[in-house]
């Protein structure tokens, strides 16, 4: 049994699940909400990466710091989501943002959302008929939650690596190699980290590869004693964690601040 579940576009509709639209464009932060207002799966609420799935950045902590757990629980409650509510999440960027929601909910002890295979485009291609405009969600009581399980700080990562953990960088190979860096002020990767590009987990239509192909993608890293995932800011690494969970490695952890946090400490250490 896995807590990394996919749902097919043809099965959407008529169920009890709360549907969450997570579309977001890093280069145009308002584009996701605008796209949701223009058309979305009927009944889908919208959660914004910058406003609901993150808090403003500080000197350290990365570009997309996680919100306080109880604040995020309140956000979910406004959408009618409690600890046991079935949820289906989607985006249009190969699970990159929906995966962040999956990890956050799972780490706080919620029923993990299922991710829509193929995203919004896949749903449209399957004959989905969108609705436009705001969605009035029915709020529920706010549950009491603990901290994000499996969230690591930079000190945790240093200790884990010293103890033999394998770090896995989810960014594109060129950014991993320190080439074409456009998001962070310092190029490169954490010394010793392996690279498994999150975008290689999906096909050209945005559908997740089958488990055999995912296992081939991960290769010998599946046998590592301890796995720690990171990316640029703790978002796309969640897709690596999702695929690892599907392959039986639900124990992998997230360096939430990721490279944007790591490199923010480098000048002080120079």
């Amino acid at each position: 049994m896995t807590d990394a579940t996919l749902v097919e576009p043809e099965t959407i509709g008529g169920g009890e699940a709360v549907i969450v639209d997570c579309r977001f464009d890093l280069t145009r932060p308002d584009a996701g909400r605008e796209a949701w207002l223009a058309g979305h799966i009927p009944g889908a609420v919208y959660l914004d990466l910058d406003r609901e799935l993150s808090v403003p950045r500080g000197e350290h902590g990365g570009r997309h710091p996680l919100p306080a757990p109880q604040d995020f629980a309140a956000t979910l409650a406004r959408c009618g989501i409690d600890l046991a509510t079935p949820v289906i999440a989607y985006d249009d960027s190969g699970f990159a943002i929906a995966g962040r929601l999956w990890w956050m909910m799972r780490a706080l002890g919620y029923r993990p959302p299922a991710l829509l295979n193929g995203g919004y485009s896949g749903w449209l291609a399957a004959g989905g008929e969108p609705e436009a405009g705001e969605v009035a969600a029915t709020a529920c009581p706010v549950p009491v939650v603990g901290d994000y399980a499996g969230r690591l700080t930079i000190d945790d990562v240093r200790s884990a690596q010293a103890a033999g953990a394998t770090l896995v960088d989810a960014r594109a190979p060129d950014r991993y190699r320190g080439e074409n860096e456009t998001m962070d002020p310092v190029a490169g990767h954490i010394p010793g980290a392996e690279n498994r590009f999150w975008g290689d987990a999906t096909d050209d239509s945005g559908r997740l590869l089958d488990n055999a192909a995912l296992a081939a993608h991960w290769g010998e890293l599946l046998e590592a004693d301890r796995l720690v995932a990171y990316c640029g800011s703790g978002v796309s690494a969640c897709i690596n964690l999702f695929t690892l969970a599907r392959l039986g490695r639900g124990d992998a952890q997230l360096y939430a601040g990721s490279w944007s946090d790591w490199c923010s400490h480098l000048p002080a250490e120079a």
Side-chain angles (χ1 to χ4, degrees), residues 62-237:
R63 282 183 279 108
H64 289 107
L66 290 165
Q70 204 58 47
D71 291 345
F72 183 57
T75 294
L76 294 176
R78 289 195 296 271
C79 297
I81 300 171
D82 63 21
L83 292 171
T85 302
V87 174
I88 297 171
Y90 70 89
D91 56 35
D92 222 359
S93 34
F95 305 103
I97 316 301
R100 164 86 162 203
L101 176 64
W102 170 83
W103 183 87
M104 291 172 68
M105 290 181 61
R106 175 177 176 264
L108 288 180
Y110 283 80
R111 176 175 176 171
L115 301 189
L116 178 59
N117 207 6
Y120 185 66
S121 294
W123 178 78
L124 290 176
E129 297 183 3
E131 68 175 11
E134 298 277 357
V135 171
T138 301
C140 68
V142 182
V144 176
V145 296
D147 200 1
Y148 297 98
R151 170 174 63 167
L152 302 184
T153 66
I154 187 170
D155 290 334
D156 296 329
V157 170
R158 288 168 170 156
S159 296
Q161 197 173 28
T166 300
L167 272 59
V168 184
D169 189 317
R171 294 174 300 163
D174 58 344
R175 290 185 66 202
Y176 167 79
R177 293 190 301 265
E179 304 164 0
N180 304 319
E181 180 58 62
T182 60
M183 301 297 294
D184 293 307
V186 181
H189 62 265
I190 298 174
E194 302 284 347
N195 183 219
R196 289 295 186 276
F197 177 41
W198 68 273
D200 287 341
T202 54
D203 63 20
D204 291 341
S205 64
R207 294 177 60 84
L208 199 72
L209 303 180
D210 63 32
N211 281 6
L214 289 175
H217 166 67
W218 280 101
E220 73 284 353
L221 292 184
L222 285 174
E223 306 304 320
D225 289 338
R226 183 178 179 186
L227 288 167
V228 175
Y230 78 93
C231 54
S233 64
V235 178
S236 58

Side-chain angles (χ1 to χ4, degrees), residues 22-89:
C22 299
R23 284 177 288 171
F24 190 82
D25 185 338
L26 289 172
T27 64
R28 295 190 300 129
D30 293 328
R33 179 175 176 82
E34 292 169 358
W36 171 72
L37 288 171
H40 51 259
I41 295 176
V45 297
Y46 182 71
L47 290 180
D48 184 279
L49 174 63
D50 279 352
R51 296 180 176 89
E52 282 96 22
L53 305 186
S54 309
V55 294
R57 67 183 300 174
E59 180 182 2
H60 302 298
R63 282 183 279 108
H64 289 107
L66 290 165
Q70 204 58 47
D71 291 345
F72 183 57
T75 294
L76 294 176
R78 289 195 296 271
C79 297
I81 300 171
D82 63 21
L83 292 171
T85 302
V87 174
I88 297 171

